[in-house]
Amino acid sequence: MFDQILALVKEHFSTNPQIAAAIPAGKEDEVHNEIATHVTNALTNHTPEAGGFGGLLSTFENSIAAGGPVVNAIEGGLLSSLSSKFGLSPSITGAISGALPGILQKFAANQNIPK
């Protein structure tokens, strides 16, 4: 799962010049890994026991646009981490935060797990 999310993060941010330019030179892989780690941890920690991973995908697909619990969990720790570890400005961490729902939607669409 981590590798899939990491690939989506790299793909998404490589096409966003504003974010790419704001990441300190030579730190791109570290920033991408940090984002993918937070997303993976949030998905793993929010998997509903009854519905399994498919239940989780269904849950966050329904709440992504509304800023559901999975997105909020990712944003909380991730934005603080990116700011403190890499010195990214609030405008850049905000842009990264705004990209999370799209990354999660792409990940969910690629899973083909019955709901």
Side-chain angles (χ1 to χ4, degrees), residues 9-34:
V9 167
K10 286 181 177 184
E11 173 190 320
H12 190 81
F13 293 122
S14 70
T15 61
N16 188 322
Q18 176 192 9
I19 294 174
I23 296 174
K27 299 287 185 181
E28 297 87 356
D29 285 339
E30 291 178 55
V31 171
H32 294 151
N33 279 321
E34 188 75 17

Side-chain angles (χ1 to χ4, degrees), residues 17-76:
Q18 176 192 9
I19 294 174
I23 296 174
K27 299 287 185 181
E28 297 87 356
D29 285 339
E30 291 178 55
V31 171
H32 294 151
N33 279 321
E34 188 75 17
I35 296 166
T37 297
H38 278 268
V39 171
T40 302
N41 289 343
L43 292 176
T44 303
N45 293 332
H46 285 86
T47 302
E49 291 180 21
F53 194 69
L56 170 69
L57 292 175
S58 177
T59 299
F60 84 71
E61 282 178 336
N62 294 329
S63 66
I64 285 173
V70 175
V71 175
N72 289 337
I74 296 168
E75 288 175 343

